[in-house]
């Protein structure tokens, strides 16, 4: 945006403050509302300031504060995480630590004599 008598200062990136253009308008929709921000091309490309938005597996609401409640592993490729909103998270059991699972498996194997 060019400087004019109506706008004494050039529009700046809301993340890094850069005045180099062109500025992009990034819209982020979440369960908490919608934000429109003017950001420079480098911040938009890097994803700086972008909130993680995930869908809750229990109530299907979009949340910008996702909580991992499960990890789905796949034998033939990458797995994925299952998310929930903070309000629904207490309804899911705590994920076990992988190292604890390995330790208990080794202990059972040694007790079995194998």
């Amino acid at each position: 945006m060019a400087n004019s008598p109506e706008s004494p200062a050039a529009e700046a990136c809301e993340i890094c403050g850069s005045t180099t253009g062109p500025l992009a308008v990034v819209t982020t929709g979440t369960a908490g509302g919608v934000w429109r921000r003017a950001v420079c091309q480098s911040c938009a490309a890097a994803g700086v300031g972008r909130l993680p938005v995930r869908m809750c597996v229990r109530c299907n609401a979009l949340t910008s504060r996702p909580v991992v409640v499960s990890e789905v592993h796949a034998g033939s490729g990458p797995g994925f995480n299952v998310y929930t909103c903070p309000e629904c998270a207490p309804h899911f059991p705590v994920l076990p630590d992988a190292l604890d699972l390995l330790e208990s498996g080794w202990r059972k194997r040694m007790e079995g004599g194998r």
Side-chain angles (χ1 to χ4, degrees):
M1 168 183 271
N3 287 343
S4 66
E6 293 84 24
S7 60
E11 192 174 355
C13 174
E14 293 181 27
I15 296 172
C16 69
S18 171
T19 56
T20 59
L23 296 179
V25 176
V26 177
T27 303
T28 306
T30 65
V34 176
W35 295 279
R36 287 184 173 78
R37 302 162 81 178
V39 297
C40 66
Q41 296 295 319
S42 61
C43 287
V48 177
R50 201 175 302 164
L51 296 173
V53 179
R54 302 287 186 262
M55 181 182 281
C56 175
V57 71
R58 185 168 185 262
C59 69
N60 295 330
L62 292 177
T63 179
S64 61
R65 300 176 297 144
V67 177
V68 176
V69 292
S70 180
E71 296 172 342
V72 179
H73 300 278
S76 62
F80 60 92
N81 293 332
V82 178
Y83 298 93
T84 187
C85 61
E87 293 79 21
C88 293
H91 296 281
F92 292 90
V94 177
L95 288 175
D97 185 63
L99 295 176
D100 291 339
L101 294 174
L102 286 173
E103 182 181 328
S104 65
W106 278 107
R107 194 175 318 120
K108 287 180 186 176
R109 191 170 186 188
M110 294 307 225
E111 290 171 359
R114 293 187 203 178

